CSV table of all heavy atoms in Angstrom, one decimal:
chain,number,residue,atom,x,y,z
A,142,VAL,N,99.6,25.8,132.4
A,142,VAL,CA,98.3,26.1,131.9
A,142,VAL,C,97.6,24.8,131.5
A,142,VAL,O,98.1,24.1,130.6
A,142,VAL,CB,98.3,27.1,130.8
A,142,VAL,CG1,96.9,27.4,130.2
A,142,VAL,CG2,99.0,28.4,131.2
A,143,ARG,N,96.4,24.6,132.1
A,143,ARG,CA,95.6,23.4,131.7
A,143,ARG,C,94.8,23.6,130.5
A,143,ARG,O,94.2,24.7,130.3
A,143,ARG,CB,94.7,23.0,132.9
A,143,ARG,CG,95.4,22.9,134.2
A,143,ARG,CD,94.4,22.3,135.3
A,143,ARG,NE,93.2,23.0,135.4
A,143,ARG,CZ,92.9,24.0,136.2
A,143,ARG,NH1,93.9,24.4,137.0
A,143,ARG,NH2,91.7,24.5,136.3
A,144,ARG,N,94.7,22.6,129.6
A,144,ARG,CA,94.0,22.8,128.4
A,144,ARG,C,92.5,22.7,128.7
A,144,ARG,O,92.0,21.8,129.5
A,144,ARG,CB,94.3,21.6,127.4
A,144,ARG,CG,93.6,21.7,126.1
A,144,ARG,CD,94.0,20.6,125.2
A,144,ARG,NE,95.4,20.7,124.8
A,144,ARG,CZ,95.9,21.4,123.8
A,144,ARG,NH1,95.1,22.1,123.1
A,144,ARG,NH2,97.2,21.4,123.6
A,145,LEU,N,91.7,23.6,128.1
A,145,LEU,CA,90.3,23.6,128.3
A,145,LEU,C,89.6,22.8,127.2
A,145,LEU,O,90.0,22.8,126.0
A,145,LEU,CB,89.7,25.0,128.3
A,145,LEU,CG,89.7,25.8,129.6
A,145,LEU,CD1,89.1,27.1,129.3
A,145,LEU,CD2,88.9,25.0,130.7
A,146,SER,N,88.5,22.1,127.5
A,146,SER,CA,87.7,21.4,126.5
A,146,SER,C,86.5,22.3,126.1
A,146,SER,O,86.1,22.3,124.9
A,146,SER,CB,87.1,20.1,127.1
A,146,SER,OG,88.1,19.1,127.1
A,147,VAL,N,85.9,23.0,127.1
A,147,VAL,CA,84.8,23.8,126.8
A,147,VAL,C,84.9,25.1,127.6
A,147,VAL,O,85.4,25.2,128.7
A,147,VAL,CB,83.4,23.1,127.2
A,147,VAL,CG1,82.3,24.0,126.9
A,147,VAL,CG2,83.3,21.8,126.6
A,148,ARG,N,84.6,26.2,126.9
A,148,ARG,CA,84.7,27.6,127.5
A,148,ARG,C,83.3,28.3,127.4
A,148,ARG,O,82.7,28.3,126.4
A,148,ARG,CB,85.8,28.4,126.9
A,148,ARG,CG,85.9,29.8,127.4
A,148,ARG,CD,87.0,30.5,126.8
A,148,ARG,NE,86.9,30.7,125.4
A,148,ARG,CZ,87.6,31.6,124.7
A,148,ARG,NH1,88.4,32.4,125.3
A,148,ARG,NH2,87.5,31.6,123.4
A,149,ALA,N,83.0,28.9,128.6
A,149,ALA,CA,81.8,29.8,128.6
A,149,ALA,C,82.2,31.2,128.8
A,149,ALA,O,83.1,31.5,129.6
A,149,ALA,CB,80.8,29.4,129.7
A,150,SER,N,81.7,32.1,128.0
A,150,SER,CA,82.1,33.5,128.1
A,150,SER,C,81.4,34.2,129.3
A,150,SER,O,80.3,33.8,129.7
A,150,SER,CB,81.8,34.3,126.8
A,150,SER,OG,80.4,34.3,126.6
A,151,ASP,N,82.0,35.3,129.8
A,151,ASP,CA,81.5,36.1,130.9
A,151,ASP,C,80.8,37.3,130.2
A,151,ASP,O,81.0,37.6,129.0
A,151,ASP,CB,82.5,36.6,131.8
A,151,ASP,CG,83.2,35.4,132.5
A,151,ASP,OD1,82.6,34.4,132.8
A,151,ASP,OD2,84.4,35.6,132.9
A,152,ILE,N,79.9,38.0,131.0
A,152,ILE,CA,79.1,39.1,130.5
A,152,ILE,C,79.2,40.3,131.5
A,152,ILE,O,79.0,40.0,132.7
A,152,ILE,CB,77.7,38.8,130.3
A,152,ILE,CG1,77.5,37.6,129.3
A,152,ILE,CG2,76.9,40.0,129.8
A,152,ILE,CD1,76.1,37.2,129.1
A,153,ASP,N,79.5,41.4,131.0
A,153,ASP,CA,79.5,42.7,131.8
A,153,ASP,C,78.5,43.6,131.2
A,153,ASP,O,78.8,44.1,130.1
A,153,ASP,CB,80.8,43.3,132.0
A,153,ASP,CG,80.8,44.5,132.9
A,153,ASP,OD1,79.8,44.8,133.4
A,153,ASP,OD2,81.9,45.1,133.0
A,154,TYR,N,77.4,43.9,131.8
A,154,TYR,CA,76.3,44.7,131.2
A,154,TYR,C,76.6,46.2,131.4
A,154,TYR,O,76.0,47.0,130.8
A,154,TYR,CB,75.0,44.4,131.8
A,154,TYR,CG,74.4,43.0,131.4
A,154,TYR,CD1,74.8,41.9,132.1
A,154,TYR,CD2,73.6,42.9,130.4
A,154,TYR,CE1,74.3,40.7,131.8
A,154,TYR,CE2,73.1,41.6,130.0
A,154,TYR,CZ,73.5,40.5,130.7
A,154,TYR,OH,73.0,39.3,130.3
A,155,GLY,N,77.5,46.5,132.3
A,155,GLY,CA,77.8,47.9,132.6
A,155,GLY,C,76.6,48.5,133.4
A,155,GLY,O,75.9,47.9,134.2
A,156,ASP,N,76.3,49.8,133.1
A,156,ASP,CA,75.1,50.5,133.7
A,156,ASP,C,73.8,50.3,132.9
A,156,ASP,O,73.8,50.6,131.7
A,156,ASP,CB,75.5,52.0,133.9
A,156,ASP,CG,76.6,52.2,134.8
A,156,ASP,OD1,76.9,51.3,135.7
A,156,ASP,OD2,77.3,53.2,134.7
A,157,VAL,N,72.8,49.9,133.6
A,157,VAL,CA,71.5,49.8,133.0
A,157,VAL,C,70.5,50.4,133.9
A,157,VAL,O,70.5,50.3,135.1
A,157,VAL,CB,71.1,48.3,132.8
A,157,VAL,CG1,69.7,48.1,132.2
A,157,VAL,CG2,72.2,47.6,131.9
A,158,LYS,N,69.6,51.2,133.3
A,158,LYS,CA,68.5,51.9,134.1
A,158,LYS,C,67.6,50.9,134.7
A,158,LYS,O,67.2,49.9,134.1
A,158,LYS,CB,67.7,52.9,133.2
A,158,LYS,CG,68.5,54.0,132.6
A,158,LYS,CD,67.7,54.9,131.8
A,158,LYS,CE,68.5,56.1,131.2
A,158,LYS,NZ,67.7,57.0,130.4
A,159,ILE,N,67.2,51.2,135.9
A,159,ILE,CA,66.3,50.2,136.6
A,159,ILE,C,65.0,50.1,135.9
A,159,ILE,O,64.5,51.0,135.3
A,159,ILE,CB,66.1,50.7,138.1
A,159,ILE,CG1,65.4,52.1,138.2
A,159,ILE,CG2,67.4,50.7,138.9
A,159,ILE,CD1,65.1,52.5,139.6
A,160,GLU,N,64.5,48.8,136.0
A,160,GLU,CA,63.3,48.4,135.3
A,160,GLU,C,63.4,48.3,133.8
A,160,GLU,O,62.4,48.1,133.1
A,160,GLU,CB,62.1,49.3,135.7
A,160,GLU,CG,61.9,49.5,137.2
A,160,GLU,CD,61.6,48.2,137.9
A,160,GLU,OE1,61.2,47.2,137.3
A,160,GLU,OE2,61.9,48.1,139.1
A,161,GLN,N,64.6,48.5,133.2
A,161,GLN,CA,64.8,48.4,131.8
A,161,GLN,C,65.6,47.1,131.6
A,161,GLN,O,66.3,46.6,132.4
A,161,GLN,CB,65.5,49.6,131.2
A,161,GLN,CG,64.6,50.8,131.2
A,161,GLN,CD,65.1,51.9,130.4
A,161,GLN,OE1,66.1,51.8,129.6
A,161,GLN,NE2,64.5,53.1,130.4
A,162,ASN,N,65.5,46.6,130.3
A,162,ASN,CA,66.2,45.3,130.0
A,162,ASN,C,67.4,45.5,129.1
A,162,ASN,O,67.5,46.5,128.3
A,162,ASN,CB,65.2,44.4,129.2
A,162,ASN,CG,64.0,44.0,130.0
A,162,ASN,OD1,64.1,44.0,131.3
A,162,ASN,ND2,62.9,43.8,129.3
A,163,SER,N,68.4,44.7,129.3
A,163,SER,CA,69.6,44.6,128.4
A,163,SER,C,69.9,43.1,128.2
A,163,SER,O,70.0,42.3,129.1
A,163,SER,CB,70.8,45.3,129.1
A,163,SER,OG,71.9,45.2,128.3
A,164,SER,N,69.9,42.7,126.9
A,164,SER,CA,70.1,41.3,126.6
A,164,SER,C,71.5,41.2,125.9
A,164,SER,O,71.8,41.9,124.9
A,164,SER,CB,69.0,40.8,125.6
A,164,SER,OG,69.3,39.5,125.3
A,165,ILE,N,72.3,40.3,126.4
A,165,ILE,CA,73.6,40.0,125.8
A,165,ILE,C,73.8,38.4,125.8
A,165,ILE,O,73.3,37.7,126.7
A,165,ILE,CB,74.8,40.6,126.6
A,165,ILE,CG1,74.6,42.1,126.7
A,165,ILE,CG2,76.1,40.2,126.0
A,165,ILE,CD1,75.7,42.8,127.5
A,166,ASN,N,74.4,37.9,124.7
A,166,ASN,CA,74.5,36.5,124.6
A,166,ASN,C,75.7,36.0,125.4
A,166,ASN,O,76.8,36.6,125.4
A,166,ASN,CB,74.7,36.1,123.1
A,166,ASN,CG,73.5,36.2,122.3
A,166,ASN,OD1,72.4,36.2,122.8
A,166,ASN,ND2,73.7,36.4,121.0
A,167,VAL,N,75.5,34.8,126.0
A,167,VAL,CA,76.6,34.1,126.6
A,167,VAL,C,77.0,33.0,125.6
A,167,VAL,O,76.1,32.4,124.9
A,167,VAL,CB,76.3,33.4,127.9
A,167,VAL,CG1,75.1,32.4,127.8
A,167,VAL,CG2,77.5,32.7,128.5
A,168,GLU,N,78.3,32.8,125.4
A,168,GLU,CA,78.8,31.9,124.3
A,168,GLU,C,79.4,30.6,124.9
A,168,GLU,O,80.2,30.7,125.9
A,168,GLU,CB,79.8,32.6,123.4
A,168,GLU,CG,80.3,31.7,122.3
A,168,GLU,CD,81.4,32.4,121.5
A,168,GLU,OE1,82.6,32.4,121.9
A,168,GLU,OE2,81.0,33.0,120.4
A,169,ILE,N,79.0,29.5,124.4
A,169,ILE,CA,79.6,28.2,124.8
A,169,ILE,C,80.4,27.7,123.6
A,169,ILE,O,79.9,27.6,122.4
A,169,ILE,CB,78.5,27.1,125.1
A,169,ILE,CG1,77.7,27.6,126.3
A,169,ILE,CG2,79.2,25.8,125.5
A,169,ILE,CD1,78.4,27.8,127.6
A,170,GLU,N,81.7,27.4,123.8
A,170,GLU,CA,82.6,27.0,122.7
A,170,GLU,C,83.2,25.6,123.1
A,170,GLU,O,83.7,25.4,124.2
A,170,GLU,CB,83.6,28.0,122.4
A,170,GLU,CG,84.6,27.6,121.3
A,170,GLU,CD,85.7,28.7,121.1
A,170,GLU,OE1,85.7,29.6,121.9
A,170,GLU,OE2,86.4,28.5,120.1
A,171,ASN,N,83.2,24.7,122.1
A,171,ASN,CA,83.8,23.4,122.3
A,171,ASN,C,85.2,23.5,121.7
A,171,ASN,O,85.4,23.5,120.5
A,171,ASN,CB,83.0,22.3,121.6
A,171,ASN,CG,83.6,20.9,121.8
A,171,ASN,OD1,84.6,20.8,122.5
A,171,ASN,ND2,83.0,19.9,121.2
A,172,LEU,N,86.2,23.4,122.6
A,172,LEU,CA,87.6,23.5,122.2
A,172,LEU,C,88.2,22.1,122.1
A,172,LEU,O,89.4,21.9,121.8
A,172,LEU,CB,88.4,24.3,123.2
A,172,LEU,CG,88.0,25.7,123.4
A,172,LEU,CD1,88.7,26.4,124.6
A,172,LEU,CD2,88.1,26.6,122.2
A,173,ASP,N,87.4,21.1,122.4
A,173,ASP,CA,87.9,19.7,122.5
A,173,ASP,C,88.0,19.1,121.1
A,173,ASP,O,87.6,19.7,120.1
A,173,ASP,CB,86.9,18.9,123.3
A,173,ASP,CG,87.7,17.7,124.1
A,173,ASP,OD1,88.6,17.2,123.5
A,173,ASP,OD2,87.2,17.4,125.2
Side-chain angles (χ1 to χ4, degrees):
V142 178
R143 309 190 306 269
R144 182 182 296 276
L145 274 181
S146 284
V147 182
R148 176 175 60 160
S150 64
D151 298 329
I152 302 175
D153 183 3
Y154 291 85
D156 295 334
V157 178
K158 294 180 181 180
I159 60 173
E160 306 302 337
Q161 293 192 7
N162 298 331
S163 177
S164 179
I165 300 178
N166 289 336
V167 61
E168 181 182 84
I169 302 294
E170 180 181 6
N171 183 3
L172 304 171
D173 211 329

